[in-house]
Amino acid sequence: MEPWRTAIVNKDETHIWLRGYDITQLMSRASFASVLFLLHKNRLPTDGEERLFNALLIASADHGSGAPSCATARLAASGNRESLSAAVAAGILAIGDVHGGAGALTMDAIEVIVRGAKTAGGRISDAAIRFVDRAKEFGQRVPGFGHRVHTTDPRVSVLFQMAKDAGIAGAGVETVLALDAALKLRKTDIPINIDGALAAILYDLGFPPSAGKLIFIAGRVAGLTAEVAEEHEREKPMRIRIPITYDGAPPRDL
Amino acid sequence: MEPWRTAIVNKDETHIWLRGYDITQLMSRASFASVLFLLHKNRLPTDGEERLFNALLIASADHGSGAPSCATARLAASGNRESLSAAVAAGILAIGDVHGGAGALTMDAIEVIVRGAKTAGGRISDAAIRFVDRAKEFGQRVPGFGHRVHTTDPRVSVLFQMAKDAGIAGAGVETVLALDAALKLRKTDIPINIDGALAAILYDLGFPPSAGKLIFIAGRVAGLTAEVAEEHEREKPMRIRIPITYDGAPPRDL
Amino acid sequence: MEPWRTAIVNKDETHIWLRGYDITQLMSRASFASVLFLLHKNRLPTDGEERLFNALLIASADHGSGAPSCATARLAASGNRESLSAAVAAGILAIGDVHGGAGALTMDAIEVIVRGAKTAGGRISDAAIRFVDRAKEFGQRVPGFGHRVHTTDPRVSVLFQMAKDAGIAGAGVETVLALDAALKLRKTDIPINIDGALAAILYDLGFPPSAGKLIFIAGRVAGLTAEVAEEHEREKPMRIRIPITYDGAPPRDL
Amino acid sequence: MEPWRTAIVNKDETHIWLRGYDITQLMSRASFASVLFLLHKNRLPTDGEERLFNALLIASADHGSGAPSCATARLAASGNRESLSAAVAAGILAIGDVHGGAGALTMDAIEVIVRGAKTAGGRISDAAIRFVDRAKEFGQRVPGFGHRVHTTDPRVSVLFQMAKDAGIAGAGVETVLALDAALKLRKTDIPINIDGALAAILYDLGFPPSAGKLIFIAGRVAGLTAEVAEEHEREKPMRIRIPITYDGAPPRDL
């Protein structure tokens, strides 16, 4: 078999290097969040970037036992007591475009709008209005907006303020705020959600759209491990009973 | 359905609290590693604990594309391009007692030895010798020792030194070092591995054995997300070809 | 890399052989259930074995949307719309010793009892009583008995009758019936469950204990694929809301 | 919580009905393959359909330990010995649009071509040529064609012949054969692959595109369970070593 190529980890009998940095130096002096940043970006973050990246991971960490990823992990833990890996993995499998993964779609939308503004030689705010109008015309959702629990997601404004204070807010934050203004202009009052805020900031930190899902997963795993631990500590196996209504074919003979 | 009970996250329309702390305060002032600590331990770490916990997560983050968890994630990403969640989850599923999960077994062993020493009114070093002798008698492995790549795992001594410097090293570190001495005394020269070091320190930080796996998973996810991102960026779908030798039944007729 | 060894599939540019049989012959003349049998046992089943094996897979296929494996698959499908593989895999991850996987434990118990009877030169019925008494003494469950929905599981007697009719019922069925009698003798009236019946019959078909889980999984996947398809067809994304009660730390300041 | 709706399984204390049929009747008289058909289609298959559906599942069952799904399952089993569910699930996670899942894309293509032919009042063969030309123009692959091992996939002609013999071959088989002819006309000689054949037949059996993945998964699980069992029986934990070449950043200081 051809060797696999990688630019992430190198090692010998007595060393491990992550992106070229000796792991013992990273362990002594770096934070876990900056190593995650390093693994993805091939450079360590500045202080401001590190602060913001920590905030973003904390914002993704957990959103309650009933969030689809957490509930899926707990349900798997309820039936499969012997594998902690299995329960955490099940939780991750519930993360997709509609849950936690909308960041990737929003980053795609940001890219489209920023490029659209450039091509038209115009402003992001105008491109955002065109984007919203086209979405409405075709009955599509604007990614990064709307939440089933929060009227105002408390995480969003904190993230945007931190991004501004650190001088990191750029076209990503501008575009999401422009979409927010465009939606209000068109009388659609739905709040920016955490996926939208994450996408804006990951964009301004220079991450590609796939990071919208991958970084969310890295953050959410913190909560998933705690949810699974709690299920094991506090609950009996098989405790979860889902109420079911059957509305299918009546009894029939073979 | 009965409501599910949880002591982890609470929220209302405009707030989210993790273990009682407002998530916006955590985002502004805490690190991601300390929030992971908080989610599991219901309290924030001290500065020394936070430093050590970061080191432990970095030590777990990645160990090369060929480590079973990383290779499994890349293989899944090679066949399934459309789901990043699926590839990361597949990587986690390769984590078990023999890969990454040995921390849990080692923590069980630490508990047995510490209790054994107490019951016998003796010293941990003597209990560790009895443990090693019994393992040898029954042909069992001593968990937390031995590695297929490293003769000396560079991560171990750094972790132990940091634990001592921070005044956190206790019965966990003492027991793993006692096992190391007992193995040498019995002419078995196999090094402490990262699972053993992780277990010692998680024990001294007051985590239960299950954390041996769960915290390793939370750390390894950092690497898995980077490995999956690299597979998508650098490689074509279906590029992996495993060489196979067939040694089963010869052609036969139905 | 050393080539991997396998005795399952061989192929060249124009042929595929499963356990030595040309796949086109199997496709033309065999049933899917007998190919599953072949893949595990390296021989095709007799007519009686095939009939029984089909029954056993049908018995495992689905047990309602609220069964942990099915509910986990639907929950994952609710959050992750873009990956059918992810939802089915999540369902499988909920299968463990307490759900669907008890067959493996029961097969271990059968083995212990059959061997115990042989060693003692006695009867399986006596060994079963000793097994039940010891389980009671240590507060352990007898694997393969008890169900949270059914007072009498309708699948059990059908399987046992079919096994007898086909002349396949042996020490496996005898042992599980002996455990049933021993439990009644000790005034514990809990029914044989599907895991117990599966285990008895897999044992009599010559499968190893691990098959208790693997064959159940192969059967249950039928139901999981249908449950996931129904979730996609009938329900909106994110429709599942789990009621939660928070009983953790009150609001506190950082 | 609102009860979940389902039309698949109903049960009471002593009965289980799958799509209205008593499970004990199905166990006594039906095959596993026809129950899988029933769960998806809400009716039992005719004899011809059952025969063809069995062939289709057998065709999907296994394609060698090196197929991405099988290799992923074995790699997960190599690191995680304690969870059979985890290893099988990992294998399923490797199934996507480029491996095993192309059936869904092909079914979409069939639908487009059949509709295109109807709208134009023309023949499927002409619509297939237009489809191939457009794919070439935009540099896109024609789904359901091409394989990295087989020059002629032995499973394809058997499936098509069986479909014709049973009188089931319809617009699905016609379209895939028309695409084959169109590719040859345009001097592109790549064979119909198993995904293409599966898609044609599932289409003619009246399944929706998602079945292209789900039915393949249900078939492949047979092989995955056997591959995982073989890994446990024949191989030591952690035996798999992937050769790696590092081509990233050189050693650098923090």
Side-chain angles (χ1 to χ4, degrees):
Chain A
M1 191 168 79
E2 288 281 289
W4 296 9
R5 307 176 293 167
T6 186
I8 303 174
V9 176
N10 197 13
K11 66 188 176 213
D12 65 21
E13 285 201 1
T14 53
H15 293 82
I16 302 167
W17 295 272
L18 304 185
R19 297 285 189 190
Y21 292 104
D22 191 301
I23 200 170
T24 60
Q25 287 189 23
L26 292 168
M27 288 165 65
S28 304
R29 299 211 293 267
S31 70
F32 179 53
S34 36
V35 168
L36 175 59
F37 188 101
L38 168 69
L39 288 169
H40 279 268
K41 300 278 300 169
N42 199 26
R43 67 170 179 85
L44 286 161
T46 64
D47 285 354
E49 287 171 333
E50 183 181 354
R51 183 64 260 138
L52 193 58
F53 199 57
N54 268 291
L56 190 150
L57 290 165
I58 294 168
S60 311
D62 201 335
H63 196 245
S65 310
S69 51
C70 299
T72 303
R74 294 191 78 133
L75 209 40
S78 184
N80 181 350
R81 291 309 254 203
E82 68 268 32
S83 177
L84 297 163
S85 309
V88 174
I92 288 173
L93 292 173
I95 296 172
D97 285 349
V98 292
H99 171 56
L105 296 181
T106 313
M107 287 174 83
D108 287 332
I110 292 172
E111 224 157 72
V112 165
I113 292 167
V114 170
R115 209 184 318 121
K118 259 185 210 148
T119 312
R123 289 181 310 175
I124 283 179
S125 54
D126 296 330
I129 292 173
R130 288 196 302 274
F131 187 92
V132 165
D133 286 343
R134 209 184 45 198
K136 282 185 171 297
E137 188 184 334
F138 292 100
Q140 292 171 318
R141 292 189 51 194
V142 176
F145 286 78
H147 198 281
R148 61 181 195 171
V149 176
H150 302 296
T151 49
T152 305
D153 190 312
R155 298 167 291 187
V156 173
S157 58
V158 176
L159 280 174
F160 282 4
Q161 192 58 51
M162 288 177 76
K164 277 173 206 162
D165 291 349
I168 291 162
V173 171
E174 188 186 345
T175 304
V176 170
L177 290 175
L179 283 171
D180 191 41
L183 282 163
K184 285 205 176 65
L185 193 73
R186 294 301 188 240
K187 313 287 180 214
T188 309
D189 196 14
I190 47 173
I192 302 173
N193 63 28
I194 184 64
D195 296 320
L198 242 74
I201 284 165
L202 286 170
Y203 184 92
D204 286 339
L205 288 170
F207 281 85
S210 59
K213 263 181 197 146
L214 292 172
I215 301 301
F216 179 83
I217 290 173
R220 179 51 55 95
V221 158
L224 293 177
T225 58
E227 298 283 342
V228 168
E230 191 184 58
E231 182 70 28
H232 277 255
E233 274 160 38
R234 297 187 65 174
E235 307 294 349
K236 286 197 203 150
M238 299 288 284
R239 59 122 185 152
I240 298 169
R241 281 149 205 263
I242 307 282
I244 303 286
T245 309
Y246 178 76
D247 59 5
R252 45 181 168 170
D253 273 318
L254 209 63
Chain B
M1 191 167 80
E2 288 282 288
W4 296 9
R5 308 176 293 168
T6 186
I8 302 175
V9 176
N10 197 13
K11 66 187 178 218
D12 65 21
E13 284 203 0
T14 53
H15 293 83
I16 302 167
W17 296 270
L18 305 185
R19 297 286 190 189
Y21 292 104
D22 190 301
I23 200 168
T24 60
Q25 288 190 21
L26 292 168
M27 288 165 65
S28 304
R29 298 212 293 266
S31 69
F32 178 53
S34 37
V35 168
L36 175 59
F37 188 101
L38 167 69
L39 288 169
H40 280 268
K41 302 278 299 168
N42 199 24
R43 67 169 179 85
L44 286 161
T46 64
D47 284 354
E49 288 172 332
E50 183 181 352
R51 181 65 259 139
L52 193 57
F53 199 58
N54 268 292
L56 192 149
L57 289 165
I58 295 169
S60 311
D62 201 334
H63 197 244
S65 310
S69 50
C70 299
T72 303
R74 292 191 78 132
L75 210 39
S78 183
N80 181 349
R81 291 309 255 203
E82 68 267 32
S83 175
L84 297 162
S85 310
V88 174
I92 289 174
L93 292 174
I95 296 173
D97 285 348
V98 294
H99 170 57
L105 295 180
T106 313
M107 287 175 83
D108 287 331
I110 292 172
E111 223 157 72
V112 165
I113 292 168
V114 170
R115 210 185 316 120
K118 260 186 209 146
T119 313
R123 290 182 309 176
I124 281 178
S125 56
D126 296 330
I129 292 173
R130 290 196 302 274
F131 187 92
V132 164
D133 287 343
R134 210 184 46 197
K136 282 184 169 299
E137 191 184 333
F138 292 100
Q140 292 170 318
R141 292 190 51 194
V142 176
F145 286 79
H147 198 280
R148 62 181 196 173
V149 175
H150 302 295
T151 49
T152 305
D153 190 312
R155 298 167 289 185
V156 173
S157 56
V158 176
L159 280 175
F160 283 4
Q161 192 58 51
M162 288 177 76
K164 277 173 206 161
D165 292 350
I168 290 162
V173 171
E174 188 186 345
T175 302
V176 170
L177 290 174
L179 282 171
D180 190 40
L183 281 163
K184 286 205 173 64
L185 193 73
R186 294 302 187 240
K187 313 286 181 216
T188 309
D189 197 14
I190 46 173
I192 302 173
N193 62 30
I194 184 64
D195 297 321
L198 242 73
I201 283 165
L202 285 170
Y203 184 91
D204 288 339
L205 288 170
F207 280 86
S210 59
K213 262 182 199 143
L214 292 172
I215 301 301
F216 179 83
I217 290 172
R220 178 51 54 96
V221 158
L224 293 177
T225 56
E227 298 282 344
V228 168
E230 191 184 57
E231 182 70 28
H232 277 254
E233 273 159 38
R234 297 188 63 175
E235 308 293 348
K236 283 194 204 152
M238 299 288 284
R239 59 123 185 152
I240 296 169
R241 281 149 205 262
I242 308 282
I244 303 286
T245 310
Y246 177 76
D247 60 5
R252 46 181 166 169
D253 273 319
L254 210 64
Chain C
M1 190 168 78
E2 289 281 288
W4 296 9
R5 309 176 293 168
T6 185
I8 303 174
V9 176
N10 196 13
K11 66 186 178 217
D12 65 20
E13 283 203 1
T14 54
H15 293 82
I16 302 166
W17 296 272
L18 304 186
R19 297 284 189 190
Y21 291 104
D22 190 301
I23 201 169
T24 61
Q25 288 191 23
L26 292 169
M27 287 165 65
S28 304
R29 299 212 292 268
S31 70
F32 178 53
S34 36
V35 168
L36 175 59
F37 189 100
L38 168 69
L39 288 169
H40 279 267
K41 301 278 300 167
N42 199 25
R43 67 170 180 84
L44 286 161
T46 64
D47 285 354
E49 288 172 332
E50 183 181 353
R51 182 66 260 137
L52 193 57
F53 199 58
N54 268 291
L56 191 149
L57 289 165
I58 295 168
S60 312
D62 201 335
H63 196 245
S65 310
S69 50
C70 300
T72 303
R74 293 190 79 132
L75 210 40
S78 183
N80 181 349
R81 292 307 255 204
E82 68 268 32
S83 175
L84 296 162
S85 310
V88 175
I92 289 175
L93 292 174
I95 296 174
D97 285 348
V98 294
H99 170 57
L105 295 181
T106 313
M107 287 175 84
D108 287 331
I110 292 173
E111 224 158 71
V112 164
I113 292 168
V114 170
R115 210 185 316 122
K118 261 186 208 147
T119 311
R123 290 182 309 175
I124 282 178
S125 55
D126 296 331
I129 293 173
R130 289 196 302 273
F131 187 92
V132 165
D133 288 343
R134 209 184 45 197
K136 283 185 168 299
E137 190 184 333
F138 292 100
Q140 293 170 316
R141 294 189 51 193
V142 176
F145 285 80
H147 198 282
R148 60 181 195 171
V149 176
H150 302 296
T151 49
T152 304
D153 190 313
R155 298 166 289 184
V156 173
S157 57
V158 177
L159 280 174
F160 282 4
Q161 193 57 50
M162 289 177 75
K164 276 174 206 160
D165 292 350
I168 290 163
V173 171
E174 189 187 345
T175 303
V176 170
L177 290 174
L179 282 171
D180 190 42
L183 281 164
K184 286 204 174 65
L185 193 74
R186 294 302 188 241
K187 314 286 182 215
T188 309
D189 196 14
I190 46 173
I192 302 173
N193 62 29
I194 185 64
D195 297 320
L198 240 73
I201 283 165
L202 286 171
Y203 184 92
D204 288 338
L205 288 170
F207 280 86
S210 60
K213 262 181 199 145
L214 292 172
I215 302 301
F216 178 83
I217 290 173
R220 178 52 54 97
V221 157
L224 293 177
T225 57
E227 298 282 345
V228 168
E230 192 184 58
E231 182 70 28
H232 277 255
E233 274 160 39
R234 296 187 65 176
E235 308 294 349
K236 284 195 202 151
M238 299 286 286
R239 60 125 185 148
I240 298 169
R241 281 149 205 261
I242 308 283
I244 303 286
T245 310
Y246 177 76
D247 59 5
R252 45 181 167 170
D253 273 317
L254 209 65
Chain D
M1 190 167 79
E2 287 282 288
W4 297 9
R5 308 176 294 167
T6 186
I8 303 174
V9 176
N10 196 13
K11 66 188 178 212
D12 65 20
E13 285 202 1
T14 54
H15 293 81
I16 302 167
W17 296 271
L18 305 185
R19 296 285 188 190
Y21 291 104
D22 190 301
I23 200 169
T24 61
Q25 288 190 22
L26 292 168
M27 288 165 64
S28 305
R29 299 212 292 268
S31 69
F32 178 53
S34 36
V35 169
L36 175 59
F37 188 101
L38 168 68
L39 288 169
H40 280 268
K41 300 279 299 169
N42 199 25
R43 68 170 178 85
L44 286 161
T46 64
D47 285 353
E49 288 172 331
E50 182 181 354
R51 183 64 261 140
L52 193 58
F53 198 57
N54 268 292
L56 191 150
L57 289 165
I58 295 169
S60 312
D62 201 335
H63 197 245
S65 311
S69 51
C70 299
T72 302
R74 293 191 77 133
L75 208 41
S78 184
N80 181 350
R81 292 308 254 203
E82 68 268 33
S83 176
L84 296 163
S85 310
V88 174
I92 289 173
L93 292 174
I95 296 172
D97 285 348
V98 292
H99 170 55
L105 295 181
T106 314
M107 288 174 83
D108 287 332
I110 292 172
E111 224 158 72
V112 164
I113 292 167
V114 170
R115 208 183 319 120
K118 258 184 212 150
T119 312
R123 290 181 310 176
I124 282 178
S125 54
D126 297 329
I129 293 172
R130 289 196 302 273
F131 187 92
V132 165
D133 287 343
R134 210 185 43 198
K136 282 185 169 300
E137 190 184 334
F138 293 101
Q140 292 170 318
R141 294 189 51 196
V142 176
F145 285 79
H147 199 281
R148 60 181 197 172
V149 176
H150 302 295
T151 49
T152 305
D153 191 313
R155 299 167 288 186
V156 173
S157 57
V158 177
L159 280 174
F160 282 3
Q161 193 57 52
M162 289 178 75
K164 275 172 207 162
D165 292 349
I168 291 163
V173 171
E174 188 186 345
T175 303
V176 170
L177 290 174
L179 282 171
D180 191 41
L183 282 163
K184 286 204 175 65
L185 194 73
R186 294 303 187 238
K187 312 287 182 215
T188 309
D189 196 13
I190 46 173
I192 302 174
N193 62 29
I194 184 64
D195 297 320
L198 241 75
I201 283 165
L202 286 171
Y203 184 92
D204 287 339
L205 289 169
F207 281 85
S210 60
K213 262 181 199 146
L214 291 172
I215 301 302
F216 178 83
I217 290 173
R220 178 52 54 95
V221 157
L224 293 177
T225 57
E227 298 282 344
V228 168
E230 192 184 56
E231 182 71 28
H232 276 255
E233 274 160 39
R234 298 187 63 174
E235 308 294 349
K236 284 195 203 149
M238 300 287 284
R239 58 122 185 151
I240 298 169
R241 282 152 205 262
I242 308 282
I244 302 286
T245 309
Y246 177 76
D247 59 5
R252 46 181 166 169
D253 274 317
L254 210 64

